[in-house]
């Protein structure tokens, strides 16, 4: 209840902070616990290796019963500062030779257990290994190592990680503050003006324009609408004043109806913008989470990786990352498929294992030229780790581009809503491939889809069509958003494109709960929504239907529990399908 009463500015700030903070804390917790386990595992493995080596040296003395030689071998353990006790038992489990740090005998119990074992106890680690000579059991070696140095190492590591966490939280706060201000301030100004007009009825009021982007164009249209309302209001008052007293009651009723319609139109416009803008905001929050995860990797694992990388490969690795940063441009699905085949063929010619997988990663990183320069990296035994690390590093830039793409998507949502409310639209149609638009929208929902949604794409070859490309992308955005919501992030999403007679058909199916039969005829009505109150206004499918009909197309829906399919029919350039269009009721 408290969250609902907060302003949109505060809500956006809290959401961005909570999502990014949760991702950051989860990532940090995993890294810290993983590294502590690695510290313990390293200590255990080193002790086991020492026990094995000492046991091998003591095998011959055990066979010939020369305890002095075994004692001399144990004496060399003094070179290991943390080792406190070393005991060799014969095949009768009797003490054969022993070593105590500084000569101070330390009582040990339960040192003999059949087979190999190791165990952390209080402030030390105990390790026991059997000793064999010619595959016959000759005795047992027991080592006890102090964990004091390990404890100091862990404490020092925790302090450094805490300092790093504080720094990252500060950077996260600065980024979140900047993002919410950029996105929310123009909309908040528009909302504030609407409230003042609603409360005071002052149609002379104008909204201050802050920029020349799509929201700025929307402000111009808003101000123009207020001017027209004001002119009509004044004209209505003038005509009303000329009426006789007998028409007074009618005058009062007419004024109330007109004001009600004006406020309803304003409310619809603002509610539509507020609802539709949530989709790109989700992509921005997702990209921020990816940035936080990559930062955790860069700050913790990358320094270790780059130091361990052989010198002759380091320059090649850095060149790969630099090439990825330089080559930034969008590829169509067709271009990606062609480049993957080309690069995969080059790798296969040089006997690179997993050639297609590496080619796919190179295309994702936009390294598509002179790939032969990186054959040394791919032929290394740790090639998968090297390429994966490069992909993670360059992922920071890809996440930033996703944020830019989502912000552009938000502006286009506002632009589409603005155009849908205008009588005259001077946007020009272009020849475009609708499959590319669908792929672009899928990028926005990548984070939600990968949580548990299987995507099946059946793209048949289709011709380009004459369309309003950006507006069609809004149709795919609305339908995909509803499909993901219906499946609750778990299910199967099937997208098909094909031709049927003179139509290009886009079919989007989900395995969600379905639409009730008594509601399916209402889903295209303005403000009708099957979602809970506060999660949708019902304007998305209404806008989608109007965009499709603007293209002289049609949109159909079939639904049953476990499968809902939206089919969008768009005319192929040069064909005439208007007679076959069945309007949705």
């Amino acid at each position: 209840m408290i969250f609902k009463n907060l302003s949109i500015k505060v809500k956006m700030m809290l959401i961005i902070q909570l999502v990014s903070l949760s991702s950051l804390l989860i990532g940090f917790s995993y890294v810290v616990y993983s590294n502590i386990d690695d510290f313990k595992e390293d200590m255990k493995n080193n002790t086991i290796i020492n026990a094995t080596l000492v046991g091998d040296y003591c095998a011959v003395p055990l066979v010939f019963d020369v305890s002095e030689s075994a004692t001399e071998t144990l004496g060399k353990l003094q070179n290991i500062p943390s080792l406190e006790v070393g005991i060799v038992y014969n095949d009768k489990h009797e003490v054969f030779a022993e070593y105590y740090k500084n000569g101070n005998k330390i009582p040990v119990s339960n040192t003999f257990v059949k087979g190999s074992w190791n165990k952390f106890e209080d402030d030390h680690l105990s390790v026991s290994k059997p000793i064999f000579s010619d595959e016959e059991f000759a005795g047992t070696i027991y080592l006890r190592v102090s964990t004091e140095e390990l404890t100091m190492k862990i404490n020092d590591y925790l302090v450094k990680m805490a300092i790093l966490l504080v720094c990252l939280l500060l950077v996260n706060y600065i980024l979140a503050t900047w993002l919410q201000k950029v996105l929310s301030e123009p909309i908040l100004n528009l909302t504030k003006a609407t409230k003042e007009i609603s409360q005071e009825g002052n149609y002379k009021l104008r909204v201050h324009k802050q920029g020349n982007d799509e929201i700025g164009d929307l402000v111009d249209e808003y101000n123009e609408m207020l001017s027209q309302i004001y002119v009509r209001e004044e004209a209505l008052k003038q005509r009303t004043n000329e009426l006789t007293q007998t028409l007074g009651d009618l005058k009062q009723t007419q004024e109330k109806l007109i004001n009600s319609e004006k406020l309803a139109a304003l409310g619809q416009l603002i509610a539509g913008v507020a609802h539709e803008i949530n989709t790109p905001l989700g992509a921005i929050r997702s990209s921020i989470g990816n940035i936080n995860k990559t930062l955790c990797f860069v700050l913790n694992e990358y320094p270790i990786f780059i130091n361990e990388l052989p010198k002759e490969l380091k320059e090649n690795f850095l060149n790969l990352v630099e090439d990825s940063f330089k080559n930034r441009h969008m590829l169509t699905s067709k271009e990606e498929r062609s480049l993957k085949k080309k690069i995969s063929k080059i790798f296969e010619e040089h006997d690179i294992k997993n050639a297609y997988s590496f080619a796919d990663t190179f295309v994702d990183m936009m390294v598509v030229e002179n790939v032969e320069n990186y054959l040394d990296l791919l032929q290394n035994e740790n090639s998968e780790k090297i390429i994966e690390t490069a992909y993670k590093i360059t992922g920071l830039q890809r996440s930033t581009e996703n944020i830019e793409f989502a912000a552009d998507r938000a502006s286009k949502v506002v632009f589409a809503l603005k155009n849908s409310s205008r009588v005259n639209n001077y946007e020009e149609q272009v020849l475009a491939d609708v499959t590319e638009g669908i792929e672009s929208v899928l990028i926005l929902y990548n984070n939600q889809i990968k949580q548990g949604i299987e995507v099946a794409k059946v793209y048949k070859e289709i011709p380009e069509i004459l369309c309003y490309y950006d507006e069609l992308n809004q149709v795919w955005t609305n339908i995909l958003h509803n499909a993901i919501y219906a499946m609750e992030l778990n299910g199967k999403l099937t997208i098909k494109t094909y031709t049927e007679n003179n139509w290009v058909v886009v079919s989007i199916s989900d395995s969600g709960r379905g639409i009730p039969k008594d509601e399916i005829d209402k889903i295209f009505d303005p403000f009708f929504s099957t979602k809970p109150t506060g999660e949708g206004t019902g304007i998305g499918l209404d806008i989608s239907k109007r965009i499709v009909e603007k293209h002289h197309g049609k949109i159909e829906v079939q639904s049953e529990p476990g499968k809902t399919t939206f089919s969008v029919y768009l005319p192929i350039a040069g064909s005439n399908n208007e007679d076959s269009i069945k309007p949705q009721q």
Side-chain angles (χ1 to χ4, degrees):
M1 178 61 75
I2 296 177
F3 185 78
K4 292 181 179 179
N5 295 330
L6 297 176
S7 66
I8 187 173
K9 181 177 180 180
V10 176
K11 286 181 180 178
M12 290 175 62
M13 185 66 179
L14 287 176
I15 290 173
I16 294 174
Q17 284 287 336
L18 288 175
V19 172
S20 57
L21 181 60
S22 299
S23 301
L24 187 60
L25 290 177
I26 292 173
F28 256 77
S29 299
Y30 173 77
V31 170
V32 169
Y33 285 113
S34 176
N35 284 345
I36 290 177
D37 286 341
D38 289 343
F39 294 158
K40 290 184 177 180
E41 188 68 18
D42 287 344
M43 182 177 183
K44 182 180 70 176
N45 291 337
N46 288 336
T47 305
I48 291 174
I49 291 172
N50 288 331
T52 302
L53 292 174
V54 173
D56 290 342
Y57 278 114
C58 291
V60 174
L62 280 168
V63 171
F64 292 97
D65 195 23
V66 183
S67 61
E68 292 81 3
S69 179
T71 302
E72 181 181 351
T73 299
L74 289 178
K76 296 179 181 179
L77 294 176
Q78 63 183 350
N79 295 322
I80 304 177
S82 58
L83 199 141
E84 297 179 337
V85 179
I87 302 176
V88 176
Y89 297 90
N90 59 21
D91 57 353
K92 298 178 181 179
H93 315 319
E94 298 171 343
V95 176
F96 184 74
E98 53 188 348
Y99 162 81
Y100 296 96
K101 185 177 180 181
N102 299 326
N104 299 323
K105 188 170 183 179
I106 301 175
V108 291
S109 59
N110 301 324
T111 58
F112 180 78
V113 177
K114 189 175 182 180
S116 298
W117 59 271
N118 58 80
K119 183 177 181 182
F120 281 95
E121 296 178 318
D122 297 333
D123 59 349
H124 63 272
L125 166 66
S126 296
V127 172
S128 179
K129 291 278 294 181
I131 301 172
F132 294 93
S133 178
D134 295 331
E135 298 183 357
E136 292 186 3
F137 178 73
T140 305
I141 174 71
Y142 167 80
L143 298 181
R144 170 170 165 169
V145 181
S146 172
T147 58
E148 180 179 355
E149 182 179 345
L150 174 64
T151 302
M152 293 176 62
K153 183 177 181 181
I154 291 174
N155 291 337
D156 182 62
Y157 173 74
L158 290 176
V159 171
K160 292 179 180 177
M161 292 301 291
I163 295 173
L164 180 59
L165 177 60
V166 172
C167 295
L168 288 177
L169 289 176
L170 179 60
V171 172
N172 177 70
Y173 176 79
I174 295 172
L175 287 175
T177 303
W178 177 77
L179 283 174
Q180 69 82 20
K181 182 178 180 182
V182 170
L183 294 173
S184 66
E185 187 172 354
I187 299 176
L188 290 174
N189 290 339
L190 198 59
T191 304
K192 180 180 178 182
T194 303
K195 289 182 179 179
E196 291 183 9
I197 295 172
S198 175
Q199 294 172 357
E200 302 176 8
N202 179 16
Y203 296 103
K204 293 183 179 181
L205 183 65
R206 297 294 179 267
V207 180
H208 175 65
K209 183 178 178 181
Q210 295 183 329
N212 295 320
D213 55 8
E214 286 78 2
I215 295 182
D217 292 340
L218 180 62
V219 170
D220 287 338
E221 294 294 328
Y222 186 86
N223 288 334
E224 177 63 24
M225 181 178 61
L226 289 178
S227 297
Q228 295 179 9
I229 292 175
Y230 177 73
V231 171
R232 293 175 184 176
E233 184 80 7
E234 292 300 312
L236 180 61
K237 289 181 181 179
Q238 185 177 357
R239 290 194 297 268
T240 303
N241 289 333
E242 297 174 357
L243 295 176
T244 62
Q245 186 64 38
T246 55
L247 299 177
D249 292 340
L250 179 60
K251 168 190 171 183
Q252 191 175 24
T253 302
Q254 289 175 332
E255 289 178 344
K256 289 182 179 179
L257 289 175
I258 291 172
N259 287 333
S260 176
E261 290 183 8
K262 293 173 184 174
L263 293 176
L266 291 174
Q268 177 182 358
L269 182 62
I270 301 304
V273 172
H275 170 64
E276 298 300 327
I277 210 73
N278 280 335
T279 298
L281 285 179
I284 291 174
R285 290 193 295 269
S286 173
S287 295
I288 290 175
N290 290 336
I291 289 173
N292 285 334
K293 292 178 181 178
T294 305
L295 282 175
C296 289
F297 168 82
V298 169
L299 295 171
N300 292 282
E301 299 181 28
Y302 180 72
I304 299 175
F305 165 81
I306 201 66
N307 286 332
E308 293 177 348
L309 193 65
K311 184 177 181 180
E312 62 273 11
L313 296 180
K314 187 174 298 183
E315 182 179 355
N316 218 4
F317 173 83
L318 296 177
N319 288 337
L320 174 62
V321 174
E322 183 179 357
D323 281 352
S324 178
F325 285 153
K326 288 190 301 185
N327 300 330
R328 293 290 102 194
H329 58 273
M330 295 296 291
L331 294 175
T332 65
S333 299
K334 184 177 181 180
E335 289 173 336
E336 286 186 356
R337 291 192 293 269
S338 176
L339 287 170
K340 288 176 184 177
K341 290 180 180 179
K342 176 182 176 182
I343 296 173
S344 177
K345 184 177 180 180
I346 294 174
F347 290 165
E348 289 174 351
E349 290 174 353
H350 291 84
D351 297 325
I352 301 299
K353 296 182 179 179
N354 300 323
Y356 187 83
S357 176
F358 284 133
D360 183 61
T361 303
F362 269 57
V363 172
D364 286 346
M365 296 194 315
M366 292 306 301
V367 180
V368 296
E369 295 179 358
N370 300 321
V371 295
E372 296 89 347
N373 295 340
Y374 308 110
L375 292 176
D376 290 343
L377 295 176
L378 299 174
Q379 292 169 346
N380 186 270
E381 60 181 358
N382 295 320
S383 57
E384 292 186 2
K385 181 178 180 181
I386 292 173
I387 301 304
E388 181 185 0
T389 301
Y391 181 80
K392 288 181 179 179
I393 297 298
T394 57
L396 288 171
Q397 182 164 332
R398 289 191 296 275
S399 295
T400 302
E401 290 173 348
N402 284 343
I403 292 175
E404 293 176 352
F405 182 82
D408 181 63
R409 183 72 265 156
S411 67
K412 289 181 180 178
V413 169
V414 176
F415 179 75
L417 290 174
K418 180 193 70 174
N419 281 347
S420 67
S421 65
R422 295 171 63 179
V423 176
N424 296 317
N425 192 331
Y426 300 101
E427 181 186 357
E428 294 184 357
Q429 290 184 313
V430 296
L431 280 173
D433 183 356
V434 297
T435 303
E436 295 178 2
I438 294 171
E439 285 293 310
S440 297
V441 174
L442 284 173
I443 294 174
L444 291 173
Y445 292 102
N446 180 62
N447 189 59
Q448 293 95 322
I449 289 173
K450 70 182 182 181
Q451 295 185 38
I453 296 178
E454 176 187 356
V455 180
K457 302 176 185 178
V458 184
Y459 294 156
K460 295 188 177 180
E461 188 171 347
I462 58 174
E464 293 183 337
I465 63 171
L466 195 62
C467 65
Y468 300 100
Y469 185 72
D470 290 339
E471 294 188 10
L472 278 185
N473 283 351
Q474 182 58 30
V475 175
W476 317 137
T477 299
N478 290 334
I479 295 176
L480 288 171
H481 172 76
N482 290 339
I484 293 171
Y485 178 89
M487 291 186 290
E488 297 178 344
L489 303 179
N490 188 12
K492 184 174 182 179
L493 181 67
T494 304
I495 305 173
K496 300 179 181 179
T497 59
Y498 57 94
T499 57
E500 181 178 306
N501 297 327
N502 291 324
W503 300 103
V504 165
V505 185
V506 177
S507 171
I508 301 177
S509 303
D510 67 78
S511 60
R513 54 184 175 272
I515 305 172
K517 292 183 178 179
D518 59 341
E519 294 180 354
I520 197 168
D521 292 332
K522 304 176 184 178
I523 61 174
F524 293 104
D525 293 343
F527 301 107
F528 177 81
S529 177
T530 59
K531 299 175 183 177
T533 302
E535 293 189 19
T537 62
I539 197 173
L541 288 177
D542 172 58
I543 291 176
S544 299
K545 179 186 175 186
R546 283 191 281 165
I547 291 174
V548 173
E549 290 179 346
K550 179 179 177 180
H551 288 78
H552 304 292
K554 58 184 178 180
I555 182 170
E556 298 177 350
V557 59
Q558 295 178 339
S559 182
E560 62 184 40
K563 184 177 183 180
T564 298
T565 302
F566 282 84
S567 299
V568 177
Y569 293 78
L570 299 168
I572 297 174
S575 64
N576 186 3
N577 295 316
E578 293 185 20
D579 294 338
S580 62
I581 297 177
K582 298 179 181 179
Q584 300 287 338
Q585 301 295 328

